[in-house]
Amino acid sequence: MNKKFGFRTPSVKKSLKARTTGAAKRKVKSAFNPTYGTKGMGYTKSPKKAVKNKTYKKATKSFWDIFK
């Protein structure tokens, strides 16, 4: 297993994508899929991936956390 600690590598492309994907798109997705965006669905859908992502988020910091 690849364990990472410290700062995540910033990606301008992904940051821009996250900011421009708007609320309208999320509303459309949740209209078709009632479980979209609800708390705990990541664990229900893929428990192994959810645990891995949770530990990764706790072990690493974002570049933008410096400015908070």
Side-chain angles (χ1 to χ4, degrees):
M1 186 184 273
N2 191 5
K3 295 182 182 178
K4 298 178 182 177
F5 294 97
F7 284 99
R8 294 189 287 273
T9 308
S11 171
V12 176
K13 189 176 182 181
K14 288 181 182 180
S15 293
L16 188 64
K17 177 74 174 173
R19 289 171 187 263
T20 56
T21 302
K25 186 174 181 179
R26 289 191 298 273
K27 284 193 182 217
V28 169
K29 282 188 174 187
S30 62
F32 286 106
N33 183 1
T35 61
Y36 174 80
T38 55
K39 192 173 174 77
M41 282 312 297
Y43 185 77
T44 307
K45 194 173 179 182
S46 177
K48 190 175 180 181
K49 187 176 182 180
V51 169
K52 187 184 90 172
N53 286 339
K54 187 172 185 177
T55 54
Y56 174 73
K57 286 286 276 183
K58 286 183 178 273
T60 60
K61 294 288 178 196
S62 171
F63 169 74
W64 300 109
D65 288 343
I66 299 169
F67 303 111
K68 289 183 180 178

Short mmCIF file of all heavy atoms in Angstrom, two decimals:
data_model
loop_
_atom_site.label_atom_id
_atom_site.label_comp_id
_atom_site.label_asym_id
_atom_site.label_seq_id
_atom_site.Cartn_x
_atom_site.Cartn_y
_atom_site.Cartn_z
N MET A 1 0.84 -1.18 0.00
CA MET A 1 0.00 0.00 0.00
C MET A 1 0.89 1.24 0.00
O MET A 1 1.87 1.31 0.73
CB MET A 1 -0.91 0.00 1.23
CG MET A 1 -1.91 1.14 1.21
SD MET A 1 -2.90 1.23 2.70
CE MET A 1 -4.21 0.14 2.24
N ASN A 2 0.55 2.19 -0.82
CA ASN A 2 1.33 3.42 -0.94
C ASN A 2 0.83 4.43 0.09
O ASN A 2 -0.26 4.97 -0.05
CB ASN A 2 1.20 3.97 -2.36
CG ASN A 2 2.17 5.08 -2.63
OD1 ASN A 2 2.99 5.39 -1.80
ND2 ASN A 2 2.06 5.66 -3.79
N LYS A 3 1.63 4.69 1.13
CA LYS A 3 1.23 5.62 2.19
C LYS A 3 1.85 6.97 1.92
O LYS A 3 3.03 7.07 1.62
CB LYS A 3 1.65 5.10 3.55
CG LYS A 3 0.93 3.82 3.90
CD LYS A 3 1.31 3.33 5.25
CE LYS A 3 0.59 2.02 5.51
NZ LYS A 3 0.91 1.44 6.76
N LYS A 4 1.04 8.01 2.03
CA LYS A 4 1.52 9.35 1.77
C LYS A 4 1.28 10.23 2.98
O LYS A 4 0.26 10.12 3.64
CB LYS A 4 0.80 9.94 0.56
CG LYS A 4 1.05 9.18 -0.71
CD LYS A 4 0.30 9.76 -1.88
CE LYS A 4 0.55 8.94 -3.12
NZ LYS A 4 -0.21 9.40 -4.25
N PHE A 5 2.24 11.10 3.26
CA PHE A 5 2.12 12.05 4.36
C PHE A 5 2.60 13.39 3.85
O PHE A 5 3.41 13.47 2.93
CB PHE A 5 2.98 11.60 5.56
CG PHE A 5 2.49 10.34 6.19
CD1 PHE A 5 3.06 9.13 5.86
CD2 PHE A 5 1.45 10.36 7.10
CE1 PHE A 5 2.61 7.96 6.43
CE2 PHE A 5 0.99 9.20 7.68
CZ PHE A 5 1.57 7.99 7.34
N GLY A 6 2.13 14.45 4.47
CA GLY A 6 2.59 15.79 4.09
C GLY A 6 1.62 16.50 3.17
O GLY A 6 0.41 16.30 3.23
N PHE A 7 2.17 17.31 2.27
CA PHE A 7 1.33 18.11 1.38
C PHE A 7 0.97 17.35 0.11
O PHE A 7 1.81 16.66 -0.47
CB PHE A 7 2.05 19.41 1.01
CG PHE A 7 2.04 20.42 2.11
CD1 PHE A 7 3.13 20.57 2.93
CD2 PHE A 7 0.92 21.20 2.33
CE1 PHE A 7 3.12 21.49 3.96
CE2 PHE A 7 0.89 22.13 3.35
CZ PHE A 7 1.99 22.28 4.17
N ARG A 8 -0.28 17.52 -0.32
CA ARG A 8 -0.71 16.97 -1.60
C ARG A 8 -0.19 17.88 -2.71
O ARG A 8 -0.06 19.08 -2.53
CB ARG A 8 -2.24 16.92 -1.68
CG ARG A 8 -2.86 15.95 -0.70
CD ARG A 8 -4.35 15.78 -0.95
NE ARG A 8 -5.14 16.93 -0.56
CZ ARG A 8 -5.62 17.14 0.66
NH1 ARG A 8 -5.39 16.27 1.62
NH2 ARG A 8 -6.34 18.19 0.93
N THR A 9 0.10 17.32 -3.85
CA THR A 9 0.59 18.10 -4.98
C THR A 9 -0.57 18.91 -5.56
O THR A 9 -1.59 18.33 -5.94
CB THR A 9 1.14 17.17 -6.08
OG1 THR A 9 2.09 16.29 -5.49
CG2 THR A 9 1.79 17.96 -7.18
N PRO A 10 -0.46 20.24 -5.60
CA PRO A 10 -1.56 21.04 -6.12
C PRO A 10 -1.74 20.85 -7.63
O PRO A 10 -0.76 20.73 -8.36
CB PRO A 10 -1.16 22.47 -5.80
CG PRO A 10 0.30 22.44 -5.61
CD PRO A 10 0.66 21.06 -5.16
N SER A 11 -2.99 20.79 -8.06
CA SER A 11 -3.30 20.65 -9.47
C SER A 11 -4.23 21.79 -9.87
O SER A 11 -5.38 21.84 -9.44
CB SER A 11 -3.97 19.31 -9.75
OG SER A 11 -4.43 19.27 -11.07
N VAL A 12 -3.72 22.70 -10.70
CA VAL A 12 -4.53 23.85 -11.15
C VAL A 12 -5.71 23.36 -11.96
O VAL A 12 -6.83 23.86 -11.81
CB VAL A 12 -3.66 24.82 -11.98
CG1 VAL A 12 -4.49 25.95 -12.54
CG2 VAL A 12 -2.52 25.36 -11.14
N LYS A 13 -5.49 22.36 -12.81
CA LYS A 13 -6.55 21.83 -13.67
C LYS A 13 -7.72 21.26 -12.85
O LYS A 13 -8.88 21.56 -13.11
CB LYS A 13 -5.95 20.73 -14.54
CG LYS A 13 -6.84 20.22 -15.64
CD LYS A 13 -6.08 19.20 -16.48
CE LYS A 13 -6.91 18.68 -17.62
NZ LYS A 13 -6.18 17.68 -18.41
N LYS A 14 -7.40 20.49 -11.81
CA LYS A 14 -8.45 19.89 -10.97
C LYS A 14 -9.14 20.94 -10.10
O LYS A 14 -10.34 20.85 -9.85
CB LYS A 14 -7.87 18.78 -10.10
CG LYS A 14 -7.53 17.54 -10.90
CD LYS A 14 -6.98 16.45 -10.01
CE LYS A 14 -6.59 15.24 -10.82
NZ LYS A 14 -6.05 14.16 -9.97
N SER A 15 -8.38 21.93 -9.64
CA SER A 15 -8.97 23.00 -8.84
C SER A 15 -9.98 23.81 -9.65
O SER A 15 -11.07 24.14 -9.17
CB SER A 15 -7.89 23.94 -8.32
OG SER A 15 -7.07 23.28 -7.41
N LEU A 16 -9.61 24.12 -10.89
CA LEU A 16 -10.50 24.86 -11.77
C LEU A 16 -11.75 24.06 -12.09
O LEU A 16 -12.86 24.59 -12.08
CB LEU A 16 -9.76 25.23 -13.06
CG LEU A 16 -10.49 26.16 -14.01
CD1 LEU A 16 -10.69 27.53 -13.35
CD2 LEU A 16 -9.71 26.31 -15.30
N LYS A 17 -11.58 22.77 -12.33
CA LYS A 17 -12.70 21.89 -12.62
C LYS A 17 -13.68 21.83 -11.44
O LYS A 17 -14.89 21.88 -11.61
CB LYS A 17 -12.17 20.49 -12.95
CG LYS A 17 -13.22 19.45 -13.21
CD LYS A 17 -13.88 19.63 -14.54
CE LYS A 17 -14.82 18.48 -14.82
NZ LYS A 17 -15.60 18.70 -16.01
N ALA A 18 -13.14 21.75 -10.23
CA ALA A 18 -13.97 21.68 -9.03
C ALA A 18 -14.75 22.97 -8.81
O ALA A 18 -15.89 22.95 -8.36
CB ALA A 18 -13.10 21.38 -7.82
N ARG A 19 -14.14 24.10 -9.13
CA ARG A 19 -14.81 25.38 -8.95
C ARG A 19 -15.86 25.66 -10.00
O ARG A 19 -16.83 26.37 -9.74
CB ARG A 19 -13.78 26.52 -8.94
CG ARG A 19 -12.94 26.53 -7.69
CD ARG A 19 -11.80 27.52 -7.82
NE ARG A 19 -10.88 27.42 -6.71
CZ ARG A 19 -10.92 28.21 -5.65
NH1 ARG A 19 -11.82 29.14 -5.55
NH2 ARG A 19 -10.05 28.05 -4.67
N THR A 20 -15.68 25.14 -11.22
CA THR A 20 -16.60 25.44 -12.31
C THR A 20 -17.73 24.42 -12.43
O THR A 20 -18.70 24.67 -13.13
CB THR A 20 -15.87 25.55 -13.66
OG1 THR A 20 -15.15 24.34 -13.88
CG2 THR A 20 -14.91 26.72 -13.66
N THR A 21 -17.60 23.27 -11.78
CA THR A 21 -18.69 22.30 -11.79
C THR A 21 -19.71 22.79 -10.76
O THR A 21 -19.49 22.71 -9.57
CB THR A 21 -18.17 20.90 -11.41
OG1 THR A 21 -17.16 20.53 -12.32
CG2 THR A 21 -19.28 19.88 -11.44
N GLY A 22 -20.79 23.31 -11.25
CA GLY A 22 -21.70 24.07 -10.41
C GLY A 22 -22.80 23.29 -9.73
O GLY A 22 -22.93 22.07 -9.85
N ALA A 23 -23.59 24.05 -9.00
CA ALA A 23 -24.70 23.50 -8.23
C ALA A 23 -25.76 22.91 -9.15
O ALA A 23 -26.45 21.96 -8.78
CB ALA A 23 -25.32 24.58 -7.36
N ALA A 24 -25.90 23.46 -10.36
CA ALA A 24 -26.91 22.96 -11.31
C ALA A 24 -26.63 21.50 -11.67
O ALA A 24 -27.55 20.68 -11.73
CB ALA A 24 -26.92 23.82 -12.56
N LYS A 25 -25.36 21.20 -11.91
CA LYS A 25 -24.99 19.82 -12.26
C LYS A 25 -25.28 18.87 -11.10
O LYS A 25 -25.76 17.76 -11.30
CB LYS A 25 -23.51 19.78 -12.63
CG LYS A 25 -23.04 18.45 -13.16
CD LYS A 25 -21.61 18.51 -13.64
CE LYS A 25 -21.15 17.19 -14.18
NZ LYS A 25 -19.76 17.25 -14.67
N ARG A 26 -24.99 19.31 -9.88
CA ARG A 26 -25.28 18.47 -8.71
C ARG A 26 -26.77 18.26 -8.53
O ARG A 26 -27.21 17.18 -8.15
CB ARG A 26 -24.66 19.10 -7.46
CG ARG A 26 -23.15 19.01 -7.43
CD ARG A 26 -22.58 19.38 -6.08
NE ARG A 26 -22.88 20.75 -5.71
CZ ARG A 26 -22.15 21.81 -6.04
NH1 ARG A 26 -21.07 21.64 -6.76
NH2 ARG A 26 -22.49 23.01 -5.66
N LYS A 27 -27.57 19.29 -8.81
CA LYS A 27 -29.03 19.15 -8.69
C LYS A 27 -29.58 18.15 -9.69
O LYS A 27 -30.47 17.37 -9.38
CB LYS A 27 -29.70 20.50 -8.86
CG LYS A 27 -29.58 21.37 -7.65
CD LYS A 27 -30.52 22.55 -7.72
CE LYS A 27 -30.29 23.40 -6.50
NZ LYS A 27 -31.48 23.99 -5.98
N VAL A 28 -29.05 18.18 -10.91
CA VAL A 28 -29.48 17.23 -11.94
C VAL A 28 -29.13 15.81 -11.51
O VAL A 28 -29.96 14.91 -11.62
CB VAL A 28 -28.84 17.57 -13.31
CG1 VAL A 28 -29.06 16.46 -14.31
CG2 VAL A 28 -29.38 18.88 -13.83
N LYS A 29 -27.92 15.61 -11.01
CA LYS A 29 -27.50 14.28 -10.57
C LYS A 29 -28.38 13.77 -9.42
O LYS A 29 -28.78 12.61 -9.39
CB LYS A 29 -26.04 14.29 -10.13
CG LYS A 29 -25.07 14.28 -11.27
CD LYS A 29 -23.67 14.11 -10.76
CE LYS A 29 -22.68 13.96 -11.89
NZ LYS A 29 -21.35 13.64 -11.42
N SER A 30 -28.66 14.65 -8.46
CA SER A 30 -29.46 14.21 -7.31
C SER A 30 -30.92 13.98 -7.69
O SER A 30 -31.63 13.22 -7.03
CB SER A 30 -29.36 15.20 -6.16
OG SER A 30 -29.86 16.45 -6.54
N ALA A 31 -31.39 14.62 -8.78
CA ALA A 31 -32.77 14.39 -9.24
C ALA A 31 -32.93 12.98 -9.80
O ALA A 31 -33.97 12.34 -9.61
CB ALA A 31 -33.13 15.42 -10.30
N PHE A 32 -31.89 12.49 -10.47
CA PHE A 32 -31.94 11.14 -11.04
C PHE A 32 -31.55 10.07 -10.05
O PHE A 32 -32.02 8.94 -10.12
CB PHE A 32 -31.03 11.05 -12.28
CG PHE A 32 -31.59 11.76 -13.47
CD1 PHE A 32 -31.06 12.97 -13.88
CD2 PHE A 32 -32.66 11.24 -14.17
CE1 PHE A 32 -31.58 13.64 -14.98
CE2 PHE A 32 -33.19 11.90 -15.26
CZ PHE A 32 -32.65 13.10 -15.67
N ASN A 33 -30.65 10.39 -9.13
CA ASN A 33 -30.15 9.42 -8.16
C ASN A 33 -30.38 9.96 -6.75
O ASN A 33 -29.66 10.84 -6.29
CB ASN A 33 -28.65 9.18 -8.41
CG ASN A 33 -28.07 8.14 -7.49
OD1 ASN A 33 -28.78 7.56 -6.67
ND2 ASN A 33 -26.79 7.90 -7.62
N PRO A 34 -31.38 9.46 -6.04
CA PRO A 34 -31.70 10.00 -4.71
C PRO A 34 -30.60 9.80 -3.67
O PRO A 34 -30.56 10.51 -2.68
CB PRO A 34 -32.97 9.24 -4.30
CG PRO A 34 -33.07 8.08 -5.20
CD PRO A 34 -32.29 8.39 -6.43
N THR A 35 -29.68 8.87 -3.90
CA THR A 35 -28.60 8.65 -2.94
C THR A 35 -27.38 9.50 -3.25
O THR A 35 -26.41 9.49 -2.50
CB THR A 35 -28.18 7.17 -2.91
OG1 THR A 35 -27.72 6.78 -4.20
CG2 THR A 35 -29.34 6.29 -2.50
N TYR A 36 -27.39 10.26 -4.36
CA TYR A 36 -26.24 11.08 -4.74
C TYR A 36 -26.03 12.19 -3.73
O TYR A 36 -26.94 12.95 -3.40
CB TYR A 36 -26.44 11.69 -6.13
CG TYR A 36 -25.35 12.66 -6.51
CD1 TYR A 36 -24.14 12.21 -6.98
CD2 TYR A 36 -25.52 14.03 -6.38
CE1 TYR A 36 -23.12 13.08 -7.32
CE2 TYR A 36 -24.51 14.92 -6.71
CZ TYR A 36 -23.32 14.43 -7.18
OH TYR A 36 -22.31 15.31 -7.52
N GLY A 37 -24.81 12.26 -3.20
CA GLY A 37 -24.46 13.35 -2.29
C GLY A 37 -24.90 13.17 -0.86
O GLY A 37 -24.67 14.05 -0.04
N THR A 38 -25.50 12.04 -0.53
CA THR A 38 -25.93 11.84 0.85
C THR A 38 -24.76 11.30 1.67
O THR A 38 -23.89 10.60 1.15
CB THR A 38 -27.12 10.87 0.95
OG1 THR A 38 -26.79 9.65 0.29
CG2 THR A 38 -28.35 11.47 0.31
N LYS A 39 -24.76 11.65 2.93
CA LYS A 39 -23.67 11.28 3.83
C LYS A 39 -23.58 9.76 3.99
O LYS A 39 -24.59 9.08 4.17
CB LYS A 39 -23.91 11.94 5.19
CG LYS A 39 -22.73 11.88 6.12
CD LYS A 39 -23.03 12.71 7.35
CE LYS A 39 -21.95 12.57 8.37
NZ LYS A 39 -20.76 13.33 8.07
N GLY A 40 -22.38 9.24 3.88
CA GLY A 40 -22.14 7.82 4.09
C GLY A 40 -22.29 6.95 2.86
O GLY A 40 -22.06 5.74 2.93
N MET A 41 -22.65 7.51 1.72
CA MET A 41 -22.86 6.69 0.53
C MET A 41 -21.55 6.16 -0.04
O MET A 41 -21.53 5.12 -0.68
CB MET A 41 -23.62 7.47 -0.54
CG MET A 41 -25.10 7.58 -0.28
SD MET A 41 -25.91 6.03 0.17
CE MET A 41 -25.68 5.08 -1.31
N GLY A 42 -20.45 6.89 0.17
CA GLY A 42 -19.16 6.41 -0.31
C GLY A 42 -18.79 5.11 0.36
O GLY A 42 -18.28 4.17 -0.28
N TYR A 43 -19.05 5.00 1.65
CA TYR A 43 -18.75 3.78 2.39
C TYR A 43 -19.66 2.63 1.96
O TYR A 43 -19.23 1.49 1.84
CB TYR A 43 -18.87 4.01 3.90
CG TYR A 43 -18.45 2.81 4.70
CD1 TYR A 43 -17.11 2.50 4.88
CD2 TYR A 43 -19.39 1.94 5.25
CE1 TYR A 43 -16.71 1.38 5.58
CE2 TYR A 43 -19.01 0.82 5.95
CZ TYR A 43 -17.67 0.54 6.12
OH TYR A 43 -17.28 -0.58 6.80
N THR A 44 -20.92 2.94 1.70
CA THR A 44 -21.88 1.92 1.28
C THR A 44 -21.53 1.38 -0.10
O THR A 44 -21.60 0.18 -0.34
CB THR A 44 -23.31 2.50 1.24
OG1 THR A 44 -23.58 3.10 2.49
CG2 THR A 44 -24.34 1.44 0.97
N LYS A 45 -21.11 2.27 -0.99
CA LYS A 45 -20.81 1.89 -2.36
C LYS A 45 -19.49 1.12 -2.46
O LYS A 45 -19.41 0.10 -3.15
CB LYS A 45 -20.73 3.16 -3.21
CG LYS A 45 -20.75 2.95 -4.69
CD LYS A 45 -20.85 4.28 -5.40
CE LYS A 45 -20.85 4.10 -6.89
NZ LYS A 45 -20.90 5.37 -7.61
N SER A 46 -18.44 1.61 -1.80
CA SER A 46 -17.12 0.98 -1.87
C SER A 46 -16.38 1.20 -0.55
O SER A 46 -15.65 2.17 -0.40
CB SER A 46 -16.33 1.58 -3.03
OG SER A 46 -15.05 1.03 -3.08
N PRO A 47 -16.56 0.31 0.42
CA PRO A 47 -15.98 0.50 1.75
C PRO A 47 -14.45 0.58 1.75
O PRO A 47 -13.87 1.40 2.45
CB PRO A 47 -16.45 -0.70 2.55
CG PRO A 47 -17.36 -1.46 1.71
CD PRO A 47 -17.36 -0.89 0.35
N LYS A 48 -13.80 -0.24 0.94
CA LYS A 48 -12.34 -0.26 0.89
C LYS A 48 -11.80 1.10 0.41
O LYS A 48 -10.87 1.66 0.99
CB LYS A 48 -11.88 -1.38 -0.04
CG LYS A 48 -10.42 -1.67 -0.01
CD LYS A 48 -10.12 -2.88 -0.90
CE LYS A 48 -8.65 -3.22 -0.89
NZ LYS A 48 -8.35 -4.36 -1.77
N LYS A 49 -12.40 1.62 -0.63
CA LYS A 49 -11.98 2.91 -1.20
C LYS A 49 -12.28 4.05 -0.22
O LYS A 49 -11.47 4.97 -0.07
CB LYS A 49 -12.73 3.13 -2.52
CG LYS A 49 -12.31 4.33 -3.30
CD LYS A 49 -13.08 4.35 -4.61
CE LYS A 49 -12.67 5.50 -5.48
NZ LYS A 49 -13.42 5.52 -6.74
N ALA A 50 -13.42 3.98 0.46
CA ALA A 50 -13.80 5.03 1.40
C ALA A 50 -12.83 5.11 2.58
O ALA A 50 -12.44 6.20 2.99
CB ALA A 50 -15.22 4.79 1.90
N VAL A 51 -12.42 3.98 3.09
CA VAL A 51 -11.46 3.95 4.21
C VAL A 51 -10.11 4.50 3.77
O VAL A 51 -9.48 5.28 4.47
CB VAL A 51 -11.33 2.52 4.78
CG1 VAL A 51 -10.17 2.41 5.75
CG2 VAL A 51 -12.62 2.11 5.46
N LYS A 52 -9.69 4.09 2.58
CA LYS A 52 -8.41 4.56 2.03
C LYS A 52 -8.43 6.08 1.84
O LYS A 52 -7.49 6.78 2.22
CB LYS A 52 -8.13 3.89 0.69
CG LYS A 52 -6.75 4.18 0.13
CD LYS A 52 -6.56 3.57 -1.23
CE LYS A 52 -7.01 4.58 -2.25
NZ LYS A 52 -6.75 4.28 -3.62
N ASN A 53 -9.52 6.62 1.29
CA ASN A 53 -9.64 8.06 1.07
C ASN A 53 -9.68 8.83 2.39
O ASN A 53 -9.10 9.91 2.49
CB ASN A 53 -10.88 8.37 0.24
CG ASN A 53 -10.70 8.00 -1.21
OD1 ASN A 53 -9.59 7.88 -1.70
ND2 ASN A 53 -11.81 7.82 -1.90
N LYS A 54 -10.33 8.28 3.39
CA LYS A 54 -10.42 8.96 4.68
C LYS A 54 -9.05 9.07 5.34
O LYS A 54 -8.69 10.14 5.85
CB LYS A 54 -11.39 8.22 5.60
CG LYS A 54 -11.66 8.96 6.87
CD LYS A 54 -12.77 8.32 7.68
CE LYS A 54 -13.07 9.17 8.89
NZ LYS A 54 -14.18 8.64 9.65
N THR A 55 -8.29 7.99 5.30
CA THR A 55 -6.95 8.03 5.90
C THR A 55 -6.03 8.95 5.10
O THR A 55 -5.20 9.65 5.68
CB THR A 55 -6.32 6.63 6.01
OG1 THR A 55 -6.33 6.01 4.73
CG2 THR A 55 -7.07 5.76 6.99
N TYR A 56 -6.18 8.98 3.79
CA TYR A 56 -5.36 9.86 2.94
C TYR A 56 -5.64 11.33 3.25
O TYR A 56 -4.72 12.13 3.38
CB TYR A 56 -5.66 9.57 1.46
CG TYR A 56 -4.99 10.51 0.49
CD1 TYR A 56 -3.63 10.43 0.25
CD2 TYR A 56 -5.72 11.48 -0.19
CE1 TYR A 56 -3.01 11.29 -0.64
CE2 TYR A 56 -5.12 12.34 -1.07
CZ TYR A 56 -3.76 12.24 -1.30
OH TYR A 56 -3.15 13.10 -2.17
N LYS A 57 -6.91 11.66 3.41
CA LYS A 57 -7.29 13.05 3.72
C LYS A 57 -6.78 13.48 5.09
O LYS A 57 -6.44 14.63 5.29
CB LYS A 57 -8.81 13.22 3.67
CG LYS A 57 -9.39 13.23 2.28
CD LYS A 57 -9.09 14.52 1.55
CE LYS A 57 -10.11 15.57 1.91
NZ LYS A 57 -9.91 16.82 1.19
N LYS A 58 -6.71 12.55 6.05
CA LYS A 58 -6.22 12.87 7.39
C LYS A 58 -4.70 12.97 7.43
O LYS A 58 -4.14 13.73 8.22
CB LYS A 58 -6.71 11.85 8.41
CG LYS A 58 -8.18 12.00 8.75
CD LYS A 58 -8.57 11.00 9.80
CE LYS A 58 -10.02 11.17 10.19
NZ LYS A 58 -10.20 12.14 11.24
N ALA A 59 -4.01 12.20 6.60
CA ALA A 59 -2.55 12.13 6.63
C ALA A 59 -1.89 13.23 5.81
O ALA A 59 -0.72 13.51 5.98
CB ALA A 59 -2.09 10.77 6.13
N THR A 60 -2.63 13.85 4.89
CA THR A 60 -2.04 14.85 4.02
C THR A 60 -2.73 16.20 4.21
O THR A 60 -3.83 16.28 4.75
CB THR A 60 -2.15 14.45 2.54
OG1 THR A 60 -3.52 14.29 2.20
CG2 THR A 60 -1.39 13.17 2.26
N LYS A 61 -2.08 17.24 3.75
CA LYS A 61 -2.62 18.60 3.82
C LYS A 61 -2.66 19.21 2.43
O LYS A 61 -1.81 18.91 1.59
CB LYS A 61 -1.75 19.49 4.73
CG LYS A 61 -1.76 19.07 6.17
CD LYS A 61 -3.06 19.41 6.80
CE LYS A 61 -3.09 18.94 8.24
NZ LYS A 61 -4.41 18.91 8.78
N SER A 62 -3.60 20.09 2.21
CA SER A 62 -3.70 20.80 0.95
C SER A 62 -2.79 22.01 0.95
O SER A 62 -2.46 22.57 2.00
CB SER A 62 -5.15 21.25 0.73
OG SER A 62 -5.22 22.10 -0.39
N PHE A 63 -2.39 22.43 -0.23
CA PHE A 63 -1.59 23.65 -0.39
C PHE A 63 -2.35 24.84 0.16
O PHE A 63 -1.77 25.76 0.75
CB PHE A 63 -1.29 23.83 -1.88
CG PHE A 63 -0.69 25.17 -2.21
CD1 PHE A 63 0.62 25.46 -1.89
CD2 PHE A 63 -1.44 26.15 -2.84
CE1 PHE A 63 1.17 26.69 -2.21
CE2 PHE A 63 -0.91 27.37 -3.16
CZ PHE A 63 0.41 27.64 -2.84
N TRP A 64 -3.67 24.85 0.01
CA TRP A 64 -4.49 25.99 0.45
C TRP A 64 -4.68 26.04 1.95
O TRP A 64 -5.13 27.05 2.48
CB TRP A 64 -5.84 25.95 -0.28
CG TRP A 64 -5.65 26.02 -1.76
CD1 TRP A 64 -5.85 25.01 -2.66
CD2 TRP A 64 -5.19 27.15 -2.51
NE1 TRP A 64 -5.54 25.43 -3.92
CE2 TRP A 64 -5.14 26.75 -3.86
CE3 TRP A 64 -4.81 28.44 -2.18
CZ2 TRP A 64 -4.72 27.60 -4.87
CZ3 TRP A 64 -4.41 29.29 -3.20
CH2 TRP A 64 -4.36 28.87 -4.51
N ASP A 65 -4.35 24.97 2.68
CA ASP A 65 -4.44 24.97 4.14
C ASP A 65 -3.43 25.95 4.77
O ASP A 65 -3.61 26.37 5.91
CB ASP A 65 -4.21 23.56 4.70
CG ASP A 65 -5.38 22.65 4.43
OD1 ASP A 65 -6.47 23.14 4.10
OD2 ASP A 65 -5.20 21.41 4.52
N ILE A 66 -2.39 26.30 4.02
CA ILE A 66 -1.40 27.26 4.51
C ILE A 66 -2.04 28.61 4.76
O ILE A 66 -1.71 29.30 5.72
CB ILE A 66 -0.24 27.41 3.49
CG1 ILE A 66 0.47 26.08 3.30
CG2 ILE A 66 0.73 28.49 3.92
CD1 ILE A 66 1.45 26.08 2.12
N PHE A 67 -2.98 28.98 3.91
CA PHE A 67 -3.60 30.31 3.96
C PHE A 67 -4.80 30.39 4.89
O PHE A 67 -5.35 31.46 5.06
CB PHE A 67 -4.00 30.74 2.54
CG PHE A 67 -2.84 30.74 1.60
CD1 PHE A 67 -2.78 29.81 0.57
CD2 PHE A 67 -1.79 31.64 1.74
CE1 PHE A 67 -1.70 29.79 -0.32
CE2 PHE A 67 -0.71 31.63 0.86
CZ PHE A 67 -0.66 30.71 -0.16
N LYS A 68 -5.20 29.28 5.47
CA LYS A 68 -6.36 29.29 6.37
C LYS A 68 -5.96 29.66 7.79
O LYS A 68 -4.91 29.42 8.25
CB LYS A 68 -7.07 27.94 6.36
CG LYS A 68 -7.77 27.70 5.07
CD LYS A 68 -8.53 26.39 5.13
CE LYS A 68 -9.24 26.17 3.81
NZ LYS A 68 -9.95 24.93 3.77
#
